[in-house]
Amino acid sequence: MPRFFVDTPLLASGEIALPSGAARHVQVLRLQPGDALTLFDGSGPEWQAEVTAMGRSEVRVRLLAAAQPQRELARAVTLAVVMPANDRMDFLVEKASELGAAALQPLVAERSVLRLAGERADKKRAHWQGVAVAAAEQSGRTVPMRVEPVMALGAWLAALPEPSGDEWRGLLSPRAAAPIAPFAQPQAIFLSGPEGGLSDTEEDAARTRGFAPVTLGPRILRADTAPLAVLSWLALA
């Protein structure tokens, strides 16, 4: 059954006009009155619906019944990633959304290849948010992953609140001695470096903000692989 995100609250059963983005998807699929579809607005529930009218400028649907499926990770996980180059960031955003990350924080560090700022960074963030929403539609998530504004690593670390007992902070580092291990906190942040890794100074700064260095094993993983390996481990833990 087709499944679409709508950027307007779905509050009660009844007939509504679809926002332009979802309406375009319905038109491209050439759905007809009476055809079933699923809608979600990012707040948690998803709605079973049916098309009631198709037009060039408007698509109307009837919301039938809401359900509250449980498809999120048991913990709210933020991936703080120094952005990999080329199209690897698109891949990382898509797969992180599929695997259940709650948020993704794009960062720029000393050894970054991809450096974004200003309007270019804003456009990329909007693009990545669209990638995350599309992945949520495909994977069955009802709360799309949130993509945060691009920040410099140092500024992001400085802005973090003091660690709390409800949050675990992990630094993915090939120089770490301790393997990643189960933790009890309901929230987690994992910081992952760029292709060349974080500098010693950057790792030290992360430690002072409560990040525990952990390793994912003896192999060196790519910048877009390590964060996804963590999410896969959490999904099965």
Side-chain angles (χ1 to χ4, degrees):
M1 182 186 302
R3 188 170 185 277
F4 305 115
F5 172 78
V6 294
D7 56 358
T8 188
L10 302 175
L11 300 176
S13 58
E15 190 170 298
I16 64 167
L18 286 181
S20 58
R24 280 195 299 273
H25 288 307
V26 171
Q27 290 165 333
V28 167
L29 290 177
R30 299 188 178 184
L31 299 183
Q32 297 300 315
D35 286 346
L37 67 163
T38 301
L39 303 174
F40 65 105
D41 62 8
S43 64
E46 66 179 15
W47 286 81
Q48 299 306 307
E50 67 177 10
V51 178
T52 58
M54 286 285 296
R56 291 185 177 180
S57 59
E58 185 179 71
V59 175
R60 299 191 68 82
V61 302
R62 180 177 293 111
L63 301 178
L64 301 174
Q68 190 85 33
Q70 298 300 320
R71 302 186 186 122
E72 298 301 308
L73 291 182
R75 296 175 177 85
V77 179
T78 295
L79 295 182
V81 296
V82 179
M83 299 175 290
N86 302 321
D87 59 353
R88 292 187 181 277
M89 187 63 179
D90 280 23
F91 175 85
L92 175 55
V93 170
E94 179 183 71
K95 301 311 174 189
S97 182
E98 287 181 23
L99 288 167
L104 187 142
Q105 173 62 65
L107 298 169
V108 178
E110 289 181 24
R111 296 170 181 165
S112 288
V113 176
L114 178 60
R115 295 181 176 274
L116 299 173
E119 183 179 355
R120 186 166 172 241
D122 293 339
K123 288 182 177 179
K124 276 292 188 182
R125 180 199 180 192
H127 166 72
W128 290 328
Q129 189 63 67
V131 171
V133 166
E137 291 176 333
Q138 178 273 324
S139 64
R141 292 189 66 178
T142 57
V143 183
M145 182 181 74
R146 184 177 68 258
V147 180
E148 303 288 2
V150 177
M151 293 186 68
L153 173 59
W156 176 74
L157 287 171
L160 280 178
E162 291 299 317
S164 72
D166 290 336
E167 182 182 80
W168 195 84
R169 295 179 179 181
L171 168 62
L172 305 183
S173 172
R175 298 190 285 275
I180 190 169
F183 54 90
Q185 291 87 336
Q187 302 175 56
I189 304 176
F190 287 94
L191 172 59
S192 185
E195 287 84 344
L198 296 174
S199 68
D200 290 343
T201 300
E202 289 171 329
E203 288 207 2
D204 289 343
R207 289 190 188 94
T208 65
R209 301 302 293 160
F211 285 85
V214 292
T215 177
L216 297 177
R219 295 168 300 282
I220 303 298
L221 302 182
R222 286 184 177 273
D224 55 319
T225 303
L228 300 180
V230 167
L231 285 175
S232 299
W233 175 75
L234 285 170
L236 297 174

